[in-house]
Amino acid sequence: MKIKQLRTKNIEFLKKELFSLLQEQFNLRMQLSSKKLNQTHLLKINRKNIAVIKTLFSEKELLHVREK
């Protein structure tokens, strides 16, 4: 999902998305360790998506603090 689309989502959606990405990351790591992961580029993509969502959490937190 694009970052512009994610910025319009609420915190609850982002939390669910982050949780599913972390589960996927765990599964990919298990596949990698058991030598069953053929598409290792998926790890990099997953890590990037997690970083994007965590960055959006920081942005939203800063906006919330500034509004007070």
Side-chain angles (χ1 to χ4, degrees):
M1 194 174 280
K2 301 286 183 185
I3 194 162
K4 287 183 180 180
Q5 294 172 339
L6 286 174
R7 278 195 172 111
T8 63
K9 304 297 182 183
N10 61 5
I11 296 284
E12 292 302 317
F13 176 81
L14 292 176
K15 284 181 182 179
K16 289 178 186 176
E17 189 68 23
L18 179 63
F19 183 73
S20 68
L21 286 171
L22 290 172
Q23 284 182 327
E24 183 181 348
Q25 183 183 36
F26 175 78
N27 292 333
L28 289 171
R29 284 183 178 175
M30 290 300 113
Q31 289 176 18
L32 182 68
S33 66
S34 65
K35 308 284 192 238
K36 293 186 178 180
L37 183 63
N38 294 327
Q39 301 173 334
T40 56
H41 70 282
L42 294 176
L43 285 166
K44 182 178 180 180
I45 293 170
N46 187 275
R47 239 185 358 257
K48 180 184 173 193
N49 290 335
I50 289 171
V52 165
I53 290 182
K54 286 185 175 183
T55 302
L56 287 174
F57 275 134
S58 298
E59 287 178 3
K60 288 185 181 285
E61 184 178 307
L62 283 174
L63 287 174
H64 183 65
V65 168
R66 287 182 183 171
E67 289 175 353
K68 286 186 175 182

